[in-house]
Amino acid sequence: MNPPNMQITQLKDKIAAHVSHPFLAKFIADPVIDEDKLVILTSIMDHTNLSPLKKEKYIITTMLVQIALDTHDHVTLSEKEDEPETIRTRQLTVLAGDYYSGLYYYVLAQLDDIPMIKTLAGAIKEINELKMELYYKDVESFQEFLSSLRKIESLLIHRVAGYVQKTSINDMAGDWLLAKRLLDEKNSYQEGRFSPIMDLLSKRQRILESSGQAVLNVEQMLHNQISHVEAAVSQMPIHFNWLKQYIYSAINQKFYKTHIAEEG
């Protein structure tokens, strides 16, 4: 195992330790740590002059915020009367998201880092506002929908990159994170699992004809998006070589192999 991979593994273990809670573990699934966002954040921090302690704390706290946002995204709503167990799981999921979000305050408070707390708090506010617009605003086109989704997926990393003044990979990160989100949502939908984005697209009669059309639109966009990502990665500076290799490998594993398997 090379050093960058070891670093990512160690960070994942530390993040998992922060979000581990014995009570929550009895009723809801462990939160998923988005490795792609973790890798991008780590690459950004590795090219700053911050102390090793600050680099690690910034990565961990940003990922805690991401986990909180992702957890809240998976709170399902129903118009019918649900079973008590379903209601309890939903309530605990909301509380879990709040708990994970609160952890970043605690970690940064230990560093007495008020500016970074404000940066993350501002990003949370912006992302939640973007989500409200995405879910409740009557968007005019599929492209407008994707543009909003791209902002939601990348804004947290963009704000942190801006804070540490390392924004050279922002565009690539935005393109890749949008592609990854589309692929994850499409896979969840096709496997019968809850997909917030596919569910929302299926209800948007103004821009789509049916749930089947939603899948076709996402498929087409995925092909275009992956081409953009590959072009952007090829232009990255050589000092991001490990990140370049990671993204190329992720594209191959998550997109090309999956696509070939579906066609075969």
Side-chain angles (χ1 to χ4, degrees):
M1 182 179 287
N2 60 41
N5 286 339
M6 180 72 77
Q7 182 184 15
I8 295 300
T9 299
Q10 291 172 344
L11 285 167
K12 288 180 75 174
D13 289 343
K14 290 180 179 181
I15 294 166
H18 275 288
V19 298
S20 176
H21 194 290
F23 176 75
L24 292 174
K26 293 179 181 179
F27 302 102
I28 62 175
D30 291 335
V32 176
I33 299 171
D34 190 319
E35 185 171 304
D36 295 85
K37 291 180 180 179
L38 175 58
V39 166
I40 292 170
L41 277 170
T42 302
S43 295
I44 291 170
M45 293 301 165
D46 280 348
H47 291 89
T48 69
N49 294 321
L50 296 170
S51 69
L53 176 62
K54 271 202 169 183
K55 288 179 183 180
E56 180 177 291
K57 296 299 185 185
Y58 282 3
I59 293 167
I60 290 174
T61 51
T62 303
M63 290 307 300
L64 289 174
V65 170
Q66 186 63 60
I67 288 170
L69 292 167
D70 291 344
T71 300
H72 282 149
D73 276 349
H74 285 83
V75 177
T76 59
L77 297 177
S78 175
E79 295 178 358
K80 62 182 180 180
E81 187 174 343
D82 290 316
E83 296 293 327
E85 185 175 345
T86 301
I87 296 172
R88 180 180 63 183
T89 299
R90 181 184 299 135
Q91 291 172 337
L92 285 173
T93 302
V94 173
L95 290 173
D98 293 342
Y99 170 68
Y100 302 145
S101 182
L103 287 173
Y104 93 85
Y105 284 103
Y106 173 72
V107 176
L108 288 177
Q110 292 177 314
L111 290 178
D112 194 24
D113 199 328
I114 304 302
M116 185 58 169
I117 290 176
K118 289 182 177 179
T119 296
L120 292 177
I124 292 171
K125 178 177 179 292
E126 286 185 73
I127 291 169
N128 284 331
E129 289 173 350
L130 285 168
K131 286 181 178 179
M132 290 293 290
E133 290 183 4
L134 183 69
Y135 280 85
Y136 298 107
K137 180 184 175 183
D138 192 14
V139 295
E140 296 294 331
S141 68
F142 187 66
Q143 192 58 48
E144 183 183 347
F145 182 93
L146 289 174
S147 178
S148 296
L149 184 59
R150 185 183 190 275
K151 290 178 183 178
I152 289 169
E153 285 300 301
S154 58
L155 189 142
L156 180 61
I157 286 178
H158 286 181
R159 289 292 175 269
V160 173
Y163 180 75
V164 299
Q165 300 182 355
K166 295 293 178 181
T167 59
S168 62
I169 63 171
N170 274 6
D171 287 342
M172 185 283 299
D175 285 339
W176 170 238
L177 293 176
L178 173 59
K180 175 179 171 293
R181 177 66 185 271
L182 291 173
L183 184 59
D184 289 345
E185 294 283 339
K186 187 199 74 156
N187 289 341
S188 292
Y189 182 80
Q190 292 182 325
E191 293 167 8
R193 292 180 282 118
F194 177 66
S195 164
I197 297 304
M198 297 302 293
D199 182 66
L200 179 60
L201 279 174
S202 298
K203 296 174 181 177
R204 289 293 175 90
Q205 297 300 321
R206 187 181 183 90
I207 57 176
L208 297 169
E209 296 178 2
S210 65
S211 59
Q213 185 63 40
V215 174
L216 290 175
N217 283 1
V218 167
E219 278 281 5
Q220 182 178 6
M221 186 59 199
L222 264 172
H223 282 279
N224 295 336
Q225 197 66 26
I226 291 298
S227 296
H228 285 309
V229 174
E230 290 175 324
V233 172
S234 69
Q235 298 299 316
M236 287 169 59
I238 192 170
H239 55 269
F240 282 108
N241 192 48
W242 175 70
L243 178 59
K244 292 170 71 171
Q245 292 176 356
Y246 176 89
I247 297 295
Y248 280 136
S249 177
I251 290 172
N252 185 54
Q253 291 290 330
K254 297 178 181 180
F255 180 74
Y256 287 122
K257 285 189 176 181
T258 301
H259 187 66
I260 290 171
E262 288 176 351
E263 290 187 339

